[in-house]
Amino acid sequence: MPSSSRSPRRAGAALASWRPAQWAAAGAGAALTAVLVGVPTAVVPSPFFGRTVPVQWWNYPVLAATAVLAGVVLATFVRLPGAADPPRADGPGSGLGPLGGLLSFLAVGCPVCNKLVLLLLGSSGALTYWAPLQPVVAVASLALLAEAALRRLSTAEACPLPARA
């Protein structure tokens, strides 16, 4: 196993060696994340959810980056046909991805539509205190997702895939 669980060079090499099935899993994971985060927060318009506070300009790039990073992280958990062992679910960075996804959901959501925030701060407190913190939460969520992807990809060589037939 490598001495460090984080290496941009090893992560890049792992991505460069991905098979089409891994890219398909990453694409499906990104699409699923975009729906699971974007629809309930009403960043992605739907007849099911609405918001009382308009979507902010930065919600769109945060949702897009969240979807891409989450898709990459999710794809590192997919077992490929012909692989000897499944990817480790408890490997480096495995806890950072879900935390980053949750924070992203909170970051792009309507500040006064969050029941917990409303209960704790009230609607004026949500707009006064929570709304200005949401971009900071968004940056933290993206940092956690990026770190999870970096750690998962950096250690991919510890369990190499069998040679192609």
Side-chain angles (χ1 to χ4, degrees), residues 19 22 78-88 156-164:
R19 297 180 184 171
Q22 288 164 297
V78 174
R79 181 178 184 172
L80 294 173
D85 296 316
R88 288 188 56 188
E157 69 185 29
C159 299
L161 296 173
R164 294 182 192 182

Side-chain angles (χ1 to χ4, degrees), residues 2-3 13 21 24 31 46 54 59 66 79 86 103 115 118 125-126 143-144 150 162 165:
S3 61
S46 79
N59 292 159
T66 296
R79 181 178 184 172
L103 288 179
K115 304 292 187 244
L118 278 178
L144 287 170
L150 180 63

Side-chain angles (χ1 to χ4, degrees), residues 10-75:
R10 283 195 309 266
L15 276 177
S17 70
W18 270 16
R19 297 180 184 171
Q22 288 164 297
W23 287 111
L32 181 64
T33 300
V35 169
L36 289 176
V37 174
V39 171
T41 59
V43 174
V44 174
S46 79
F48 306 111
F49 298 98
R51 355 178 3 137
T52 55
V53 175
V55 175
Q56 302 296 307
W57 68 268
W58 55 267
N59 292 159
Y60 299 107
V62 167
L63 178 60
T66 296
V68 169
L69 289 168
V72 168
V73 171
L74 289 169

